[in-house]
Amino acid sequence: MESIQNIVEYYDELYPVSDAQKKFFTSLTTAYPVPVKFLRLGCGSGLFEHLLAREGNDVTGIEARTELLRSANLRRRNQLMAIRFFQMSTLDMTRFLGAGFYNVIYSLNSRIVFVRDKTLMRKFFFDCRKLLTTDGTLVLQLLNFSIFKDHKMQLPTRKSVRSALFTEISSQSDGIWVLNQEVETGNGKMLPVLEDEKIYPLVPDEIKEFAKEAGFQKIELFSDYNRSPFTGKEESLIALVS
């Protein structure tokens, strides 16, 4: 069950774009001809995609959740920018998007976990390899789920001036993981966002395993957008796969 509309107003505040993030992605563009073709998986409100498009890149975002997609499309006031958004899940992207077209495919803010089981996660890496150019890059930014070992865990809270997002994941008796989210508004009211949403908490070793299976040659792990080393103990990670 989901109530995504409860978070739309606060989405950009809870998932801000940092200067380090901008610099990280700008550094990726130097390897490709202009315009660099970006594909965002789970684009949310599309804030970062508009920043990329304003830099002269060709940007596509896909988003499965209607309310977030509507928010992203409302930003498309400048029709001269090469940017578009589609309602689509990662399961369908190879059916509708061009093979070998994208230079950079990226998934941020742990949205990768909504590829909901191990078989589909393996498929995800193969699908990304198919959509990327020969020298293309896959970027995954997510929590380091290998340090969360309990059957029920509170994940780090996201906070802004007006709101706070609380996330809990838990393992059921059948081994399936589910995620629950609530947002606290400025007046202290708690509103549901996601309830018992099935997820797959992808861990670093699996990123390496699945990427190699899909034909990727190089996997680099960092702990932040400044490319600080990832030791395995950090709270989050960025995987650069090519």
Side-chain angles (χ1 to χ4, degrees):
M1 182 178 176
E2 60 180 57
S3 302
I4 295 296
Q5 69 274 7
N6 290 332
I7 199 177
V8 171
E9 178 183 350
Y10 310 105
Y11 197 87
D12 291 347
E13 304 170 16
L14 293 167
Y15 296 98
V17 179
S18 67
D19 289 339
Q21 180 180 335
K22 296 176 191 176
K23 185 176 179 180
F24 180 91
F25 279 88
T26 297
S27 71
L28 297 179
T29 65
T30 60
Y32 304 108
V34 177
V36 180
K37 298 175 178 64
F38 283 92
L39 171 62
R40 169 79 177 270
L41 311 178
C43 63
S45 66
L47 173 63
F48 185 46
E49 288 57 60
H50 280 267
L51 295 176
L52 287 174
R54 281 200 284 272
E55 294 297 320
N57 301 297
D58 183 288
V59 185
T60 302
I62 65 172
E63 174 58 61
R65 305 183 192 278
T66 304
E67 296 88 347
L68 289 174
L69 183 71
R70 186 180 300 116
S71 179
N73 277 317
L74 284 174
R75 294 181 187 275
R76 295 181 65 249
R77 296 170 183 170
N78 183 352
Q79 300 299 321
L80 298 178
M81 290 195 303
I83 186 169
R84 77 287 303 165
F85 299 104
F86 301 116
Q87 185 162 16
M88 191 184 306
S89 77
T90 57
L91 294 177
D92 297 322
M93 60 187 183
T94 55
R95 293 177 55 199
F96 300 107
L97 301 177
F101 182 78
Y102 300 98
N103 302 119
V104 180
I105 297 176
Y106 60 109
S107 173
L108 310 182
N109 304 319
S110 298
R111 289 291 300 271
I112 184 67
V113 301
F114 295 107
V115 179
R116 298 173 178 178
D117 64 44
K118 192 169 186 176
T119 299
L120 294 177
M121 191 66 75
R122 278 195 158 98
K123 177 183 182 297
F124 168 84
F125 281 87
F126 278 94
D127 288 350
C128 288
R129 180 62 272 171
K130 181 177 179 179
L131 293 174
L132 284 166
T133 56
T134 303
D135 58 349
T137 301
L138 171 64
V139 181
L140 303 175
Q141 188 268 326
L142 66 158
L143 290 171
N144 176 16
F145 289 100
S146 64
I147 67 174
F148 300 105
K149 299 186 181 297
D150 296 333
H151 291 290
K152 190 172 187 178
M153 299 164 285
Q154 290 290 333
L155 300 185
T157 302
R158 286 185 171 271
K159 294 183 179 181
S160 72
V161 173
R162 298 191 304 154
S163 61
L165 183 65
F166 300 94
T167 304
E168 179 185 271
I169 64 172
S170 56
S171 176
Q172 300 178 329
S173 58
D174 55 6
I176 292 174
W177 287 87
V178 295
L179 178 148
N180 287 276
Q181 263 184 348
E182 289 182 305
V183 63
E184 182 180 12
T185 63
N187 60 10
K189 188 174 183 179
M190 298 294 293
L191 301 175
V193 178
L194 294 171
E195 184 178 346
D196 290 337
E197 186 83 3
K198 185 179 176 183
I199 64 166
Y200 187 82
L202 182 69
V203 297
D205 285 346
E206 290 177 318
I207 294 174
K208 296 176 183 178
E209 176 187 349
F210 299 162
K212 288 179 180 177
E213 287 178 353
F216 289 99
Q217 301 299 312
K218 186 177 182 181
I219 301 99
E220 299 175 275
L221 300 182
F222 305 103
S223 61
D224 55 37
Y225 284 117
N226 294 316
R227 299 188 182 227
S228 302
F230 177 75
T231 68
K233 299 178 182 178
E234 292 81 5
E235 188 177 89
S236 61
L237 68 103
I238 296 170
L240 198 58
V241 183
S242 56

